[in-house]
Amino acid sequence: MMKKLLSASLLIVCIACQPLFAQNVFPGSYFKDARLLVDTMEYSYQRDAIFRQGKEQLAFAYNDEEEVAEVYLTFDEQAPKAIRLIPSGDFFQIDSLLIFEKYARFKVKFNGLTNSEFVKFTLDVTMDSTNSELVELPLFPYTQTYVELYPSNEEVFIGEEKVFELTTNNVDNIVIDNRWTEGLPINYRITREGGNLLLHILPNALGEQILNVPIRLKKPYMRNGDLHYELRPIQYQFSIKSGRLVFLQFDQQEVTPGEDKTEPIEVQLDNNRFLRLNKTYRIENQEESGGPLIAELYTKARLNNDKILCLLRPYAFHRKSEGYLYIKDGDVPRFVTNVDITPKTRIQSIYIQRDGKDWKKTNAVHPGETVNIRLEGEGLHKANFSFPGASNLEYDSLIKNEHISLFRIKVPLSINANNIEIFNHNESTGQSLRVVEYQKPREFDFIKLDFGDRTMRLSDVDKPIYYEHTLTDLVFDFDRSQIDAGSDLYGPQYITIKVKISNKKGNLIELYQFDQLVICPNEASPRFVNYDTKNCLPDDINLNNYISKKTSELDEWSRIELEISHLKDKYGGEGRTKKVRIHLKREYNFDIDVSFPAGLLILKHGTEKFANFGGPSFAMIAQMSFYQPGKIAKYQPWKVGAGFIAIDAFNFSDNNNSRDVGLVVIGSLYPTSSDNRLTFPLYAGFGYLMSSQKPFFLVGPGIRVRL
């Protein structure tokens, strides 16, 4: 009795708790539901989720490869603090993710839904400062696809290949198998040519025959709530008739003549009682007489497999698409056949395309790069090319035919061979890719200017350099490890350096030029052992080793102009040029001035008024001149100095009591340019008279002669 009561209690508890466990939310999320608005339809995770590939996914229908969808995420209880949609190659976020009180919203644009696999939204959800989690919302896109056949003619003939275009709304969603079926009344295959879907049929049996072609899909369609990966098969009834001429088929669909076209090729042909042995037949491309000779066919022996062993001597090329071939006894057609007679695989031209560039006719590749290769020639469709030494990558292209083959290869960074030979079916084609080292102009971040007390990287110099100390040396320091940094390779750098030295007035002092300097990467480069270093500059360059007047001998405000350039003929006309201007800056200048102050007003100690408004005085002053900030070699209009002054020095009369010699500290103001040798400054200062033995003050104009 107790067991029955316990069982009943557990059952009631399970029924009561059922809504808690039946809630349909995507795993690990903070959300109650996700809604997807596509076109005019709405899809909900709680309503439309399906279980595929071991997990629940939100299924939705699309009609456009780049469908736009608006997504709503409904919160369970508390709104997250932040939500971020992780970027993916399957879609682009075209609207900001906004968080509201009860839901969040964002908009995306999908990218190629038909060819996208495992599509999902990955959300970085932050609830608070300590709780953050990644949440995945798996998506399952499906689409309605149709394929229809509308043949123009229901009559076909034995052995005659017919091609029909299939009508479809999504050619990318059709799984294409280029292989022919075997053993059916009507063999078939499906191919794709550009944006067209083609059905090829080859009748094998007479009478009314039904063609049944299944169509498989990449993305399913939904019917009655179920997903289907196969469409209703294409069915059509053809009336198959025999032609006027019996069609005989070769065992090979394609033959390749040798270099000597008279050399026979052994083939097997369908047996026919009207085909005589040990006889040579003409093969022409037209039923009427007088057609060009395509090949000769010699019947050699009948085989046990109901085939005839023949010797085929091709004299011209032929493609099945050009029409049938007629086997003639003289000028009388006896049978019809078809076969591709194509030239031997031969590469005539090689083109290289680098990312973002156009195709260029060359066979030169660089270590570490990934390039597209286009081979042009004859018979390329039957080749199996390989590039030993390089990685052959997948290259999605519709252009691959008898005359063009496209590849994408990656050249190893550590390759030591000078050539990558091209092989066809493990045999050399005689063509190869030439491995050449990189020769690109790098920005001048590998050159440093060393002033002794500081170093500047050339690429960082974007304004004139004002150097305030004595420039003992100027060294061009080459950071060779910077040229090939990691996998970004540039190779040896070919540069010239022009040096022009001028004084502060702009007068030329010296010119020098370093021609064709070769700066090679050092051992840090992965290609170091492959570089030819015999012409590389081994050391840095000290400018003083090449110029006659050393940098330490240059006057203040002298100018050193540098022009560093790539040799553009080494880089196909490309290259960089950098100009640098160095000024030997000074804050002040010291010189000796001789001047003739005239009409000075002198106030001696112990007197109450200025006196000696007399003749010219003579002054010899050691002066400090100061340069204007922000200007090059431009003085301030004032000077400060100390020296001797002979007051009223040129008055030799007997009653002259004002003549005296004094020690003076004096300042001068120049209302005109201080660069002139003759100027008229204003003076003011103080000093000590030697004869009178008194301190004094003075002020007045003067005449200045600069030596």
Side-chain angles (χ1 to χ4, degrees):
M1 185 66 182
M2 290 298 295
K3 290 183 179 180
K4 290 182 180 181
L5 289 174
L6 181 59
S7 300
S9 300
L10 290 174
L11 180 60
I12 293 172
V13 170
C14 291
I15 294 174
C17 295
Q18 185 175 358
L20 177 63
F21 292 98
Q23 187 177 8
N24 189 13
V25 297
F26 42 97
S29 73
Y30 296 94
F31 309 107
K32 179 170 61 178
D33 193 12
R35 292 185 299 121
L36 200 67
L37 277 62
V38 180
D39 199 2
T40 60
M41 300 298 294
E42 177 182 321
Y43 303 91
S44 167
Y45 190 89
Q46 292 188 4
R47 183 182 65 248
D48 299 305
I50 62 173
F51 190 80
R52 304 288 293 184
Q53 299 167 335
K55 58 185 175 182
E56 285 193 337
Q57 305 180 51
L58 174 54
F60 68 96
Y62 70 93
N63 295 318
D64 189 348
E65 291 293 314
E66 299 181 350
E67 198 76 73
V68 175
E70 190 171 36
V71 184
Y72 288 83
L73 301 173
T74 306
F75 307 138
D76 192 7
E77 294 179 0
Q78 178 186 355
K81 182 178 180 181
I83 304 175
R84 183 173 67 91
L85 178 62
I86 305 299
S88 170
D90 294 331
F91 56 82
F92 305 99
Q93 185 175 345
I94 59 176
D95 200 358
S96 300
L97 194 153
L98 302 177
I99 302 177
F100 300 94
E101 182 179 358
K102 295 296 183 180
Y103 65 93
R105 183 191 68 198
F106 61 91
K107 189 185 294 183
V108 297
K109 182 178 182 180
F110 290 102
N111 180 24
L113 279 169
T114 298
N115 292 313
S116 296
E117 299 292 342
F118 310 108
V119 184
K120 59 178 174 292
F121 293 139
T122 303
L123 302 164
D124 185 2
V125 183
T126 302
M127 295 301 295
D128 50 51
S129 59
T130 61
N131 190 4
S132 178
E133 188 174 352
L134 290 177
V135 178
E136 288 189 353
L137 172 57
L139 304 176
F140 190 87
Y142 62 89
T143 184
Q144 300 297 327
T145 306
Y146 66 83
V147 178
E148 300 291 344
L149 171 63
Y150 301 102
S152 58
N153 192 352
E154 297 180 357
E155 288 189 354
V156 292
F157 298 89
I158 292 286
E160 179 181 359
E161 180 182 347
K162 282 287 187 179
V163 180
F164 302 100
E165 183 176 348
L166 297 174
T167 303
T168 179
N169 64 333
N170 192 347
V171 67
D172 291 323
N173 199 29
I174 309 302
V175 178
I176 296 173
D177 188 353
N178 292 313
R179 295 175 299 177
W180 284 98
T181 59
E182 296 180 355
L184 300 178
I186 304 178
N187 287 327
Y188 63 85
R189 67 171 180 156
I190 295 178
T191 63
R192 177 177 175 177
E193 185 176 306
N196 298 324
L197 195 64
L198 303 179
L199 173 64
H200 304 249
I201 67 170
L202 187 62
N204 296 316
L206 295 173
E208 301 293 326
Q209 302 291 343
I210 296 178
L211 176 69
N212 192 331
V213 181
I215 302 295
R216 292 184 294 121
L217 304 175
K218 296 179 182 178
K219 287 289 186 289
Y221 66 94
M222 184 171 287
R223 184 175 61 194
N224 299 329
D226 295 326
L227 295 173
H228 301 273
Y229 282 87
E230 286 193 4
L231 293 177
R232 179 172 53 85
I234 295 176
Q235 290 186 346
Y236 202 85
Q237 181 171 305
F238 288 95
S239 177
I240 303 175
K241 299 181 178 180
S242 60
R244 291 181 303 166
L245 301 175
V246 176
F247 185 88
L248 302 180
Q249 185 154 341
F250 285 97
D251 64 329
Q252 302 180 28
Q253 296 298 313
E254 184 173 9
V255 295
T256 302
E259 296 295 336
D260 183 5
K261 292 186 178 180
T262 61
E263 183 180 353
I265 302 172
E266 277 197 350
V267 295
Q268 295 182 24
L269 188 64
D270 289 343
N271 187 19
N272 188 277
R273 59 192 180 92
F274 297 109
L275 194 62
R276 290 184 291 171
L277 295 180
N278 302 318
K279 180 176 177 59
T280 300
Y281 291 88
R282 287 174 60 90
I283 296 181
E284 299 178 4
N285 62 1
Q286 67 181 41
E287 188 175 358
E288 296 79 10
S289 60
L293 180 63
I294 302 299
E296 287 183 341
L297 183 72
Y298 176 74
T299 54
K300 189 175 180 181
R302 281 190 170 85
L303 304 176
N304 292 333
N305 58 357
D306 200 25
K307 299 285 185 180
I308 295 180
L309 181 64
C310 303
L311 298 179
L312 181 69
R313 290 184 175 87
Y315 300 120
F317 299 123
H318 176 78
R319 280 78 178 172
K320 289 180 180 179
S321 58
E322 297 172 354
Y324 292 104
L325 293 175
Y326 296 86
I327 302 175
K328 295 183 177 181
D329 185 359
D331 284 334
V332 180
R334 298 298 186 187
F335 308 95
V336 67
T337 187
N338 215 347
V339 67
D340 284 323
I341 305 175
T342 56
K344 183 179 180 181
T345 299
R346 183 181 292 107
I347 300 173
Q348 297 173 335
S349 301
I350 300 176
Y351 291 83
I352 303 291
Q353 183 189 46
R354 293 173 172 86
D355 292 341
K357 303 291 184 180
D358 293 330
W359 289 101
K360 184 178 180 181
K361 188 176 182 179
T362 180
N363 67 336
V365 295
H366 303 295
E369 72 172 346
T370 300
V371 296
N372 299 329
I373 308 291
R374 186 174 79 202
L375 305 179
E376 294 188 359
E378 297 178 329
L380 303 185
H381 63 291
K382 54 190 172 184
N384 182 16
F385 291 114
S386 59
F387 304 83
S391 301
N392 193 356
L393 308 176
E394 291 294 334
Y395 189 37
D396 184 16
S397 173
L398 300 178
I399 305 175
K400 189 173 185 181
N401 53 42
E402 183 177 344
H403 301 288
I404 296 177
S405 284
L406 298 179
F407 301 90
R408 185 171 179 84
I409 68 168
K410 180 175 178 60
V411 183
L413 188 63
S414 59
I415 188 170
N416 290 321
N418 295 325
N419 293 281
I420 299 174
E421 196 167 0
I422 303 175
F423 281 78
N424 177 25
H425 293 287
N426 297 325
E427 292 185 3
S428 175
T429 61
Q431 299 283 349
S432 62
L433 302 176
R434 184 167 50 92
V435 180
V436 297
E437 301 300 332
Y438 274 107
Q439 195 163 308
K440 299 188 299 183
R442 185 182 178 91
E443 64 172 326
F444 296 119
D445 56 353
F446 65 95
I447 302 177
K448 298 178 181 177
L449 297 178
D450 188 353
F451 296 91
D453 59 343
R454 59 172 166 154
T455 300
M456 301 185 69
R457 194 176 295 273
L458 191 61
S459 60
D460 297 336
V461 178
D462 54 2
K463 57 185 178 181
I465 300 173
Y466 294 91
Y467 191 75
E468 300 179 359
H469 308 292
T470 300
L471 186 58
T472 56
D473 286 296
L474 179 58
V475 178
F476 295 94
D477 183 6
F478 301 104
D479 186 359
R480 294 166 174 82
S481 64
Q482 184 70 22
I483 300 177
D484 285 352
S487 60
D488 191 11
L489 307 181
Y490 287 85
Q493 299 296 295
Y494 296 83
I495 63 173
T496 61
I497 301 177
K498 297 179 182 178
V499 182
K500 179 181 177 181
I501 303 176
S502 308
N503 62 16
K504 67 178 179 180
K505 292 186 176 181
N507 299 325
L508 180 64
I509 296 176
E510 189 164 353
L511 287 174
Y512 195 86
Q513 180 168 329
F514 298 93
D515 293 318
Q516 193 164 329
L517 299 175
V518 185
I519 315 301
C520 295
N522 65 3
E523 293 85 351
S525 169
R527 302 296 301 169
F528 174 74
V529 297
N530 300 93
Y531 290 140
D532 183 5
T533 59
K534 63 181 180 181
N535 294 322
C536 297
L537 184 69
D539 302 313
D540 297 333
I541 295 177
N542 189 334
L543 184 59
N544 281 333
N545 295 336
Y546 300 90
I547 58 177
S548 56
K549 188 167 185 177
K550 309 307 179 185
T551 57
S552 59
E553 300 171 357
L554 297 177
D555 297 332
E556 72 276 2
W557 291 106
S558 292
R559 184 170 65 240
I560 303 175
E561 297 177 71
L562 306 175
E563 182 177 319
I564 299 94
S565 304
H566 284 106
L567 292 175
K568 294 187 177 182
D569 58 338
K570 296 289 186 180
Y571 303 102
E574 299 181 356
R576 302 172 184 267
T577 298
K578 184 78 172 184
K579 293 183 179 181
V580 178
R581 183 173 291 182
I582 304 171
H583 297 279
L584 302 184
K585 178 184 177 182
R586 297 293 184 270
E587 297 289 342
Y588 60 87
N589 187 24
F590 179 81
D591 57 4
I592 303 295
D593 273 6
V594 175
S595 59
F596 301 93
L600 293 176
L601 297 177
I602 298 176
L603 178 64
K604 297 181 180 179
H605 182 69
T607 62
E608 297 180 355
K609 61 180 180 179
F610 284 94
N612 193 31
F613 194 73
S617 301
F618 175 80
M620 181 174 289
I621 305 297
Q623 288 198 118
M624 298 288 289
S625 303
F626 298 90
Y627 291 100
Q628 296 185 31
K631 294 186 178 181
I632 298 175
K634 294 295 182 182
Y635 287 114
Q636 297 277 12
W638 49 269
K639 299 177 183 288
V640 176
F644 297 91
I645 184 170
I647 300 173
D648 204 8
F650 300 99
N651 186 356
F652 298 102
S653 62
D654 295 335
N655 58 354
N656 182 10
N657 297 322
S658 61
R659 292 178 63 187
D660 205 339
V661 176
L663 301 175
V664 65
V665 175
I666 193 168
S668 54
L669 180 65
Y670 295 84
T672 60
S673 174
S674 60
D675 289 334
N676 297 333
R677 294 187 179 276
L678 180 63
T679 54
F680 301 91
L682 295 176
Y683 292 97
F686 63 91
Y688 184 80
L689 294 174
M690 305 296 292
S691 297
S692 303
Q693 296 184 350
K694 293 182 178 181
F696 70 97
F697 296 91
L698 63 87
V699 62
I703 301 172
R704 170 182 174 266
V705 178
R706 185 170 61 86
L707 300 179

